[in-house]
Amino acid sequence: MNALIDEVLSKDIDTKEKYRVSDIKVKSLLAAGKLSESTNAALEFIRQLGLPTPQKKPASKFTIMREYIRVKKLLKDKSAEDIANLPELDDELFEMGQKMNEHLSSCVFQFEPNMLPLVIFQMVTISLKHGLNSSSSIAFAALGLMLCGPFGKPHEGHEMAKAAELILERPGMQSGAIYALFVTHVFCHHWTSPLHDAIAPLLKVYQEGLEIGDTDRACWCLMKRCYYLYFISRDLGSVQKELEATIHVLTQLKQDDTKLHIIILLMTVKKLRGLNVEAGDENSEFMLASTVVADNFALSAYVDVMKLEVFVFYQEWREAVDLIRNAGNIRLFLPSTATSVRYTYLEALTYLKAAQSSSGWKKRQMKKRAQKTIQLIRRWAKNGNVNVVHFLYILEAELAVLNGKDKKAKASFNAAIATSSRNGFLQDRALAHELASAYFKAQADEYWGDYHIECSRACYQEWGCSVKVEQLM
């Protein structure tokens, strides 16, 4: 098929016809998982249009900041309503460029995430200078992604997400609706709203996506909903049933890449429930290992995050440190996601536990890394992220243990337990009790040590984590 497409593109055809053929080529390569080739095809067509085209390589921090400042000047403090009321785009050349940039954003998110800001800034620039089209909702949703995560401005990011949703209310702007809503619900809203609030909207967008034929993006929403069910402490047995049903659906819909994300989570849940690996799962292990050498960095990052999840709950700190050392920059590969936020917490906790069991230079190194990572979470909490408050208390408790500050450690453990309970994060409450028990027993306080281990066991039992219940007997 690609040979036929290349033959057509080599002929002297008008730009609109070349766009239609290039559109098919880019989407088919993307669907086949050929991210690098899909990126090349999209860049080549944008270049032929004479529009600014980013180079296929990681953008430098200087370049990203320069382009960000330029976009900020164009925005001129526009509100979401101001953006949604911009005139409609009526230039076919820019229309085609926007659509191709839309495909390009999907490619580089998985393949070369440092290119993503430049693609987003270009889409936003065209929308602000030349008018809105159906790709503009995606552009402003993605700008919200960048502001919430990498730029640390969640309230500005939320305003851009709101602009994207308002654009979708205008006539003729709905073709990119599922993609835009996927971005706002997965990458933006969790920075300022409880993670629990995303469960119902993600299911709704999934159903709407199936109805209009946007199957790929619909299934992305279904996949993220499954991860959120795990993150918000839904009973592991019910999560496993949900995952197995989802795999069946994704198999029928031929969504193999998205299915791999679900398999990663399913294997994590099974390990936490103490279930034996079945023959079919052995093949899954092989598939997951193969992602490490593939060019899908996002999928490899999911593997690392969920492996770290298991290491932390099993308290296998040496293995956790080794994984973090080899994983690379997860926050770059999964920008602005709740998954990368959770990884950041697990990373900081791992460094603290490594520091507690070390001495000398290694202890100082681990502590320094932990403090740097904790500072990120502290900033997120200060900016209104309610989903990380209990993370911060757990980390501050363990930092106080490391520094020998007993009063601070006790107060922080109590706050961690109360906050994780109040905000509905049962597995983190279980871990907080477990860590508190270890602290009190190290202080020869058997009463509180036994109390917290009993509470931890009860929480793990309620969550359905059989392995931990047996481990704490």
Side-chain angles (χ1 to χ4, degrees):
M1 179 180 175
N2 285 329
L4 181 61
I5 289 174
D6 289 337
E7 182 181 347
V8 173
L9 289 174
S10 67
K11 295 180 180 179
D12 186 16
I13 55 178
D14 64 43
T15 304
K16 289 176 68 175
E17 186 63 28
K18 184 168 287 189
Y19 163 72
R20 283 191 284 269
V21 178
S22 296
D23 184 67
I24 294 170
K25 180 178 182 179
V26 171
K27 289 193 287 189
S28 65
L29 289 169
L30 180 59
K34 298 180 179 180
L35 303 175
S36 180
E37 294 176 44
S38 183
T39 299
N40 289 338
L43 289 172
E44 177 59 26
F45 181 76
I46 295 169
R47 195 175 294 112
Q48 289 178 14
L49 290 177
L51 298 177
T53 309
Q55 292 182 312
K56 189 187 172 186
K57 65 178 185 179
S60 67
K61 289 183 180 179
F62 172 79
T63 301
I64 291 171
M65 287 305 301
R66 182 192 66 204
E67 295 304 303
Y68 168 65
I69 292 169
R70 186 177 56 78
V71 167
K72 283 284 288 182
K73 288 180 179 178
L74 287 173
L75 279 168
K76 295 179 182 177
D77 297 320
K78 286 183 174 64
S79 68
E81 290 76 10
D82 293 334
I83 292 168
N85 287 321
L86 289 169
E88 192 168 335
L89 178 63
D90 61 0
D91 187 308
E92 286 187 345
L93 185 145
F94 286 114
E95 178 87 26
M96 291 183 284
Q98 288 287 71
K99 286 292 184 182
M100 198 56 67
N101 273 319
E102 180 182 326
H103 300 324
L104 184 59
S105 67
S106 295
C107 295
V108 299
F109 179 84
Q110 303 172 74
F111 167 68
E112 188 54 81
N114 262 334
M115 285 179 63
L116 183 62
L118 302 187
V119 178
I120 293 169
F121 295 153
Q122 176 63 10
M123 294 180 72
V124 170
T125 297
I126 291 175
S127 296
L128 292 172
K129 284 186 173 182
H130 303 282
L132 304 177
N133 74 332
S134 59
S135 298
S136 297
S137 61
I138 297 166
F140 286 100
L143 181 59
L145 176 161
M146 298 303 304
L147 291 169
C148 285
F151 286 92
K153 299 176 183 293
H155 297 288
E156 291 181 27
H158 183 266
E159 190 70 9
M160 293 302 101
K162 181 181 176 182
E165 291 167 355
L166 289 174
I167 290 170
L168 292 174
E169 296 177 5
R170 290 181 52 167
M173 298 289 178
Q174 287 74 42
S175 68
I178 304 305
Y179 193 177
L181 292 173
F182 167 75
V183 174
T184 60
H185 287 305
V186 171
F187 299 95
C188 301
H189 293 325
H190 72 89
W191 291 98
T192 53
S193 301
L195 203 57
H196 301 64
D197 292 352
I199 301 299
L202 283 171
L203 181 59
K204 182 182 178 183
V205 178
Y206 161 70
Q207 293 166 339
E208 291 173 351
L210 290 186
E211 288 173 5
I212 67 172
D214 194 347
T215 306
D216 291 353
R217 278 72 178 260
C219 290
W220 294 352
C221 292
L222 186 63
M223 178 267 289
K224 291 306 297 186
R225 180 178 178 274
C226 288
Y227 273 84
Y228 283 12
L229 289 173
Y230 172 81
F231 291 154
I232 66 171
S233 307
R234 187 70 60 87
D235 170 75
L236 289 178
S238 67
V239 172
Q240 181 175 336
K241 290 178 181 178
E242 184 98 21
L243 295 173
E244 290 169 345
T246 301
I247 287 173
H248 178 69
V249 169
L250 295 176
T251 300
Q252 289 184 320
L253 296 174
K254 299 180 179 179
Q255 297 289 313
D256 293 338
D257 184 74
T258 305
K259 184 170 71 174
L260 271 178
H261 288 80
I262 298 297
I263 291 171
I264 294 166
L265 181 55
L266 177 60
M267 293 177 65
T268 301
V269 169
K270 285 186 174 183
K271 287 177 181 177
L272 292 172
R273 295 190 71 205
L275 301 179
N276 293 327
V277 176
E278 301 170 357
D281 289 335
E282 292 173 2
N283 293 329
S284 299
E285 290 277 15
F286 175 79
M287 285 191 290
L288 297 186
S290 70
T291 66
V292 176
V293 296
D295 61 2
N296 192 331
F297 299 126
L299 187 58
S300 295
Y302 272 95
V303 175
D304 289 329
V305 173
M306 300 318 294
K307 281 183 177 178
L308 183 60
E309 186 87 9
V310 173
F311 288 149
V312 168
F313 277 114
Y314 285 177
Q315 301 208 19
E316 296 173 346
W317 301 115
R318 182 177 296 178
E319 291 84 350
V321 170
D322 289 341
L323 186 147
I324 290 169
R325 186 181 295 118
N326 296 321
N329 190 345
I330 297 293
R331 285 179 291 278
L332 172 63
F333 301 145
L334 302 175
S336 198
T337 61
T339 307
S340 66
V341 169
R342 185 163 182 86
Y343 174 85
T344 303
Y345 152 66
L346 298 173
E347 177 187 25
L349 182 57
T350 299
Y351 284 142
L352 286 171
K353 300 306 288 187
Q356 290 171 13
S357 62
S358 304
S359 60
W361 174 82
K362 186 176 181 181
K363 180 176 183 176
R364 292 192 297 274
Q365 182 191 48
M366 292 293 105
K367 181 180 177 180
K368 183 177 180 180
R369 290 178 181 178
Q371 289 175 315
K372 182 178 179 181
T373 311
I374 291 170
Q375 192 57 38
L376 268 179
I377 298 175
R378 187 173 286 121
R379 186 168 72 241
W380 295 339
K382 184 178 180 180
N383 284 332
N385 190 332
V386 297
N387 302 299
V388 303
V389 176
H390 66 292
F391 290 165
L392 186 58
Y393 282 130
I394 292 172
L395 296 172
E396 288 180 340
E398 288 297 325
L399 182 60
V401 171
L402 178 62
N403 291 331
K405 297 181 178 180
D406 293 335
K407 186 176 180 180
K408 173 70 172 177
K410 293 174 183 178
S412 295
F413 276 128
N414 287 335
I417 291 163
T419 307
S420 56
S421 177
R422 183 171 60 249
N423 292 350
F425 294 97
L426 181 62
Q427 78 272 47
D428 298 320
R429 179 185 170 192
L431 183 60
H433 275 299
E434 186 180 1
L435 295 171
S437 174
Y439 164 71
F440 282 108
K441 289 193 174 185
Q443 300 294 311
D445 189 336
E446 293 298 323
Y447 174 82
W448 284 111
D450 290 342
Y451 167 79
H452 282 292
I453 208 69
E454 285 297 324
C455 291
S456 179
R457 190 185 300 127
C459 290
Y460 281 126
Q461 181 75 52
E462 184 180 347
W463 187 38
C465 187
S466 307
V467 171
K468 289 300 299 186
V469 175
E470 293 174 7
Q471 188 183 81
L472 298 178
M473 291 297 289

